[in-house]
Amino acid sequence: MGIKIGNNNTIKNSNIAETINGGSSQNPNNKKTFYEKHPVICGFLISLVAGVVVLFSFWNSIISWIEGWF
């Protein structure tokens, strides 16, 4: 079976497009990490840890040292 194009030009037994197996969902060997599966939860946990670190009292001396420069 051929495809006629223009002035009786034919293309026979040709692949115009092949099957593309892209994406990680089709490849079972490509395992996603926890962060790739749940980026919102990881972002929330990182923000929570950063907030707890900022609450420590030693930051007062660092803030006053920085203010002394300006």
Side-chain angles (χ1 to χ4, degrees):
M1 178 176 162
I3 299 172
K4 291 187 179 184
I5 300 174
N7 298 327
N8 293 327
N9 298 326
T10 60
I11 300 172
K12 295 182 179 179
N13 299 327
S14 296
N15 289 334
I16 305 236
E18 295 181 13
T19 304
I20 299 171
N21 291 329
S24 59
S25 62
Q26 295 177 356
N27 190 357
N29 295 333
N30 190 4
K31 300 280 183 175
K32 286 188 175 181
T33 62
F34 183 80
Y35 183 77
E36 290 173 340
K37 289 180 185 177
H38 309 288
V40 175
I41 294 172
C42 291
F44 177 75
L45 291 175
I46 291 169
S47 299
L48 184 67
V49 169
V52 169
V53 168
V54 170
L55 287 175
F56 291 141
S57 63
F58 69 87
W59 288 105
N60 289 332
S61 60
I62 294 174
I63 291 171
S64 62
W65 180 76
I66 292 172
E67 288 176 348
W69 282 86
F70 299 106

